[in-house]
């Protein structure tokens, strides 16, 4: 049993009870983070920006997050974001390509995520190409999204956070396995 399993409602910290009925109570990752209420409280505004207000928009955000899941080998994030990408209309072929060698704009975004994981920055030519394609604010949000989901990945994998039941059921009905982590 990991030291920080998802907290059930019965032991949810009173100081973040207002977050339990919102985003924090819906997903196991935030139920794990609830072991540190101040962290969840501080996390909320950045989460709101990265998840709902990003200049990337929903489709590009999913490409970034899926590529992060592959790079980290984060099964939880992969499963959750495969289901989200499908809800946005992504085909399984597109999702699978994001895990390997995507083309077009998905390939450009994947190259940016890979650069952040590999060289810890966007090389100037890649940054310029990306900014021309998606805009400077979206580039900044891409970098922030990679950082945000990397932190979530560290938490998820350290504490062996289980995939939420509804997502696990959806993936069982239509499996799309996590590709091997990319070097």
């Amino acid at each position: 049993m990991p030291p920080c399993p998802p907290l059930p409602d019965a032991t949810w910290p009173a100081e973040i009870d207002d977050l339990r009925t919102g985003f924090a109570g819906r997903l196991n990752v935030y139920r794990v983070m609830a072991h540190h209420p101040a962290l969840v409280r501080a996390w909320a505004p950045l989460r709101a920006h990265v998840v709902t207000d990003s200049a990337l928009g929903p489709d590009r955000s999913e490409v970034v997050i899926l590529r992060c899941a592959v790079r980290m080998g984060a099964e939880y994030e992969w499963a959750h974001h495969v289901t989200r990408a499908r809800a946005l209309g992504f085909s399984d072929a597109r999702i699978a390509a994001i895990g390997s060698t995507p083309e077009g704009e998905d390939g450009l975004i994947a190259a940016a995520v890979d650069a952040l994981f590999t060289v810890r920055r966007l090389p100037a030519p890649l940054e310029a190409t990306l900014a021309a394609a998606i805009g400077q604010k979206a580039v900044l949000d891409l970098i922030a999204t990679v950082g945000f989901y990397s932190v979530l990945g560290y938490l998820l994998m350290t504490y062996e956070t289980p995939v939420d039941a509804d997502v696990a059921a959806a993936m069982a009905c239509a499996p799309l396995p996590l590709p091997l982590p990319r070097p």
Side-chain angles (χ1 to χ4, degrees), residues 19-167:
L19 298 177
R20 184 180 51 79
T21 57
F23 79 93
R26 287 193 298 262
L27 298 172
N28 283 340
V29 63
Y30 297 115
R31 288 184 170 274
V32 166
M33 287 176 74
H35 286 271
H36 189 342
L39 176 61
V40 177
R41 175 80 58 206
W43 194 263
L46 179 59
R47 181 208 168 269
H49 178 81
V50 168
V51 172
T52 62
D53 301 328
S54 170
L56 288 166
D59 285 12
R60 289 175 179 151
S61 290
E62 287 308 319
V63 174
V64 172
I65 297 162
L66 287 165
R67 190 62 169 207
C68 286
V70 171
R71 290 303 305 248
M72 295 190 75
E75 182 67 44
Y76 181 102
E77 287 303 344
W78 178 257
H80 277 258
H81 288 278
V82 164
T83 60
R84 286 188 187 178
R86 285 172 170 163
L88 287 170
F90 284 41
S91 68
D92 280 3
R94 181 179 181 192
I95 296 168
I98 292 166
S100 61
T101 311
E103 296 179 358
E105 185 178 90
D106 288 357
L108 179 61
I109 290 170
V113 172
D114 291 350
L116 291 169
F117 273 92
T118 304
V119 297
R120 312 293 184 256
R121 63 188 302 272
L122 295 178
L126 177 56
E127 193 282 337
T129 301
L130 194 59
I134 67 173
Q136 194 67 62
K137 287 182 180 178
V139 173
L140 291 164
D141 278 341
L142 183 149
I143 294 167
T145 302
V146 170
F148 182 90
Y149 280 92
S150 294
V151 171
L152 284 182
Y154 299 142
L155 290 165
L156 291 163
M157 294 187 308
T158 297
Y159 296 113
E160 301 171 10
T161 306
V163 173
D164 293 88
D166 59 332
V167 172

